[in-house]
Amino acid sequence: MSIPALSVYQSTALTWLRVSAMGLIVSCHLLQAYDNRWAWVLNVGVQIFLAMSGYLYGHKHIQSWPEWFFSRLKKLYVPYFIFLFVALSALAISAPGSVQIKQIAIYILDLQGILGGVNGLNHLWFMTAIGLCYLITPVLQRMRDKHCRLLWLILITAAIVEYAFARVHLYYFSWCFLYAFGYGYAVISEKFRRIIDVTLLLLVAGFILLELRWEVILEYGSWQNRFFHDMSGLVLLFGGIRVLQGLKLNRVPSVVLRLDKLSYPVYIVHHIFILGPFSLAFLTSHKSLNVIIMLTLSMAVAILLGKTSQIVTKRFPNLP
């Protein structure tokens, strides 16, 4: 099967969308720090990221899976463990007894999304989710190359069962579904993309009109909440690609490219300065000043983490 190549306009659109998704995540946590319920409406950034990752790999053919896995894990876990070491050390020093051996093991095994963890670092559950998404990528590529429609049907049926019938919180399957949906969207024809775009838009619009209310938005563990955010994330991603691609943007400002490069380090570090024991949300009596301080500090530490990760990676090129 021929692999659809990303156009310049699609690549540019994805850069803008990646930065926008990071902005949504940070904004969500800022509003959450001030107990603003609109935080949970903006909480679609992770959904966009996961579907976007699948969409990107749907445009690639991976030949050496061991090499690909090692490169992905290195990119994910080098900055993750550097930040984890510094953050847990700072927590242990500032609040003796707050960090236990069990909690450190949870983070090393990357199970905080399942078993919980230290307050202020719980957002790092994302590492487990994206790691599992990478594990299913060989299956998705085989499905694509072999035109295996049955497996796609199984995937869609399983999602429908979770959202509409079982109504249980199958935590990591939902994230893998978003990744797989993005992957599948990348390889189908333009005709089917348009059908999916319209279907998703109708689903979200219908859900907003018939089901959505504050009780649903604020009940984070409900299937309705997950359905709304997952479908909204897909609509924003696919709609964003279509709109931005239609604008035929072929250049991205340098500041946006810089933010795009820092999106992952920013995701790792920002939470600890906004929520949790090191929160600066109430550092002064001026909320706007506090927000500026948190954003500036998050960006500065993200830059430092990115540079440190590069040094470690270059110093130990064979690091698994």
Side-chain angles (χ1 to χ4, degrees):
M1 177 180 180
S2 61
I3 310 301
L6 274 175
S7 69
V8 174
Y9 303 130
Q10 287 173 317
S11 181
T12 300
L14 291 173
T15 298
W16 281 101
L17 288 169
R18 194 159 32 239
V19 173
S20 299
M22 176 51 59
L24 286 173
I25 291 174
V26 174
S27 298
C28 169
H29 289 148
L30 284 170
L31 291 174
Q32 187 181 351
Y34 295 110
D35 200 26
N36 188 314
R37 62 184 182 178
W38 285 97
W40 306 111
V41 178
L42 298 179
N43 196 27
V44 294
V46 171
Q47 284 86 343
I48 294 174
F49 267 127
L50 287 170
M52 187 187 302
S53 295
Y55 181 81
L56 283 168
Y57 285 116
H59 287 88
K60 297 180 181 180
H61 182 79
I62 299 166
Q63 303 241 0
S64 174
W65 287 109
E67 182 179 339
W68 180 79
F69 278 123
F70 284 139
S71 68
R72 293 299 87 197
L73 292 178
K74 186 183 297 185
K75 184 176 180 180
L76 281 174
Y77 285 99
V78 168
Y80 170 78
F81 282 121
I82 292 173
F83 174 73
L84 199 60
F85 173 78
V86 175
L88 290 177
S89 298
L91 283 168
I93 294 172
S94 62
S98 62
V99 180
Q100 303 174 0
I101 298 296
K102 175 185 175 182
Q103 290 173 315
I104 296 175
I106 286 173
Y107 282 100
I108 291 176
L109 294 173
D110 194 21
L111 293 173
Q112 64 273 14
I114 299 174
L115 302 179
V118 177
N119 182 29
L121 299 178
N122 292 327
H123 69 296
L124 296 176
W125 59 263
F126 174 79
M127 303 297 296
T128 305
I130 193 63
L132 290 175
C133 289
Y134 287 157
L135 286 177
I136 69 170
T137 306
V139 177
L140 295 176
Q141 181 168 299
R142 183 171 180 80
M143 289 165 62
R144 179 194 67 190
D145 295 345
K146 300 294 183 181
H147 301 277
C148 191
R149 296 177 181 175
L150 176 60
L151 288 178
W152 286 116
L153 182 61
I154 292 172
L155 175 68
I156 294 171
T157 302
I160 292 173
V161 168
E162 177 187 359
Y163 288 123
F165 300 108
R167 300 188 180 186
V168 295
H169 193 57
L170 302 180
Y171 195 72
Y172 287 113
F173 171 77
S174 295
W175 301 123
C176 290
F177 164 72
L178 287 168
Y179 180 86
F181 203 106
Y183 192 102
Y185 187 87
V187 303
I188 59 177
S189 66
E190 178 61 22
K191 175 183 176 181
F192 283 110
R193 286 184 186 179
R194 290 176 180 172
I195 293 174
I196 287 177
D197 289 345
V198 173
T199 301
L200 288 172
L201 189 59
L202 290 175
L203 279 173
V204 172
F207 187 84
I208 290 174
L209 291 173
L210 300 174
E211 188 71 26
L212 193 64
R213 54 193 185 279
W214 279 115
E215 291 79 4
V216 170
I217 294 174
L218 298 177
E219 189 183 350
Y220 193 64
S222 70
W223 75 270
Q224 294 100 324
N225 184 294
R226 284 300 299 272
F227 179 84
F228 168 68
H229 284 96
D230 289 355
M231 296 304 108
S232 297
L234 292 174
V235 167
L236 290 172
L237 174 63
F238 301 150
I241 292 173
R242 190 170 292 281
V243 170
L244 292 171
Q245 182 179 328
L247 295 176
K248 297 189 180 302
L249 303 174
N250 56 9
R251 290 187 179 181
V252 181
S254 58
V255 63
V256 177
L257 288 173
R258 183 63 174 164
L259 288 173
D260 180 32
K261 186 177 181 181
L262 286 171
S263 60
Y264 180 55
V266 168
Y267 175 81
I268 292 178
V269 308
H270 79 279
H271 192 279
I272 201 167
F273 299 119
I274 299 175
L275 298 165
F278 293 147
S279 172
L280 303 175
F282 301 97
L283 180 65
T284 73
S285 58
H286 302 284
K287 185 184 297 185
S288 57
L289 177 59
N290 296 337
V291 170
I292 292 172
I293 292 172
M294 288 186 286
L295 292 178
T296 302
L297 189 57
S298 296
M299 188 61 64
V301 175
I303 293 172
L304 180 61
L305 178 61
K307 291 186 179 296
T308 305
S309 300
Q310 289 179 355
I311 293 172
V312 171
T313 302
K314 290 179 180 178
R315 178 68 177 83
F316 303 99
N318 296 321
L319 191 69

